[in-house]
Structure formats: C-alpha cells, structure tokens
Amino acid sequence: VQLQASGGGLVQTGGSLRLSCTPSASGFRVIANYVAWYRQAPGKQREWVAGMSPGGSGTNYSDSVKGRFTISRNNAANTLYLQMNSLQPEDTAVYYCRGIRGAVVYWGQGTQVTVSS
C-alpha cells in the first residue's frame, strides 16, 4: 500500500492549494491510523508538517505552518487533505503523506508545491 499525494502545483505568494492523499489499495484506513504530512525542500531534510491522531480529532502542526495549514480527512472517501493558505516561497517543497499502522510505516510519491515570489 502506498499513500498517493496529489494536488500540488505552482502558486503565487499568498495563494492557496489543497493537497489530497489516498491509499493505493485497500487495507489502510486514514481514520484508524496516525497520518501526517511531511515536506522536503531541495537540499534539505524531510520535515514533519502536520499530523492527525487516529479516530479522534487531535491535530498538531509545526510552528512554521501553524495558523496557515489545516489537516483534515474524509472518512467516507478514505482521503487525507492538507489545506494550505497564505503560501510563502519557503513552503516550496515536495509534500508527502505518511501513515503508521502498528509497526508499519507507509509513504508514497509526493506532490510538488512551488510558490513563486
């Protein structure tokens, strides 16, 4: 199972994008497991952006995106989202979603987000 991220693109400073993340096969439920968004900018390490606890509504964010990004999920569609507002050039990166089920960590291909100044 891979977690397929989509929805990236090129946007101007101050703009918005919504990323989506969907499992490539059955067997991973976003409501039942810890899910998170990460990003990796060129030449930098991958960093955690936001996470959501299984079942409940607990969410948390890195300081760099708090107040601008919102993580959410659609349980019926089994999809994770990242709403990104007030985008800045420093948000430019490849964004990935990550899921943990027991001892197994799931990743997938990321989606490129580019914010022009």
Side-chain angles (χ1 to χ4, degrees):
V1 177
Q2 288 195 328
L3 300 182
Q4 311 276 34
S6 62
L10 174 64
V11 63
Q12 291 185 334
T13 296
S16 299
L17 283 173
R18 188 178 79 157
L19 306 183
S20 300
C21 172
T22 304
S24 62
S26 62
F28 186 91
R29 300 292 301 173
V30 296
I31 188 176
N33 302 284
Y34 178 80
V35 287
W37 287 96
Y38 283 71
R39 66 186 181 186
Q40 187 166 18
K44 295 187 177 181
Q45 289 189 330
R46 193 171 296 189
E47 65 171 348
W48 172 81
V49 173
M52 175 172 277
S53 301
S57 59
T59 59
N60 44 29
Y61 301 89
S62 69
D63 289 342
S64 61
V65 307
K66 195 174 296 181
R68 300 187 298 123
F69 290 11
T70 303
I71 187 172
S72 64
R73 60 188 166 207
N74 181 318
N75 298 331
N78 198 27
T79 300
L80 180 70
Y81 301 102
L82 185 68
Q83 177 66 44
M84 307 186 295
N85 298 329
S86 302
L87 283 162
Q88 304 297 315
E90 53 265 35
D91 295 317
T92 295
V94 178
Y95 284 71
Y96 301 87
C97 51
R98 176 180 187 252
I100 301 175
R101 184 178 64 188
V104 181
V105 178
Y106 298 87
W107 292 97
Q109 288 187 331
T111 186
Q112 175 71 48
V113 172
T114 303
V115 184
S116 63
S117 57

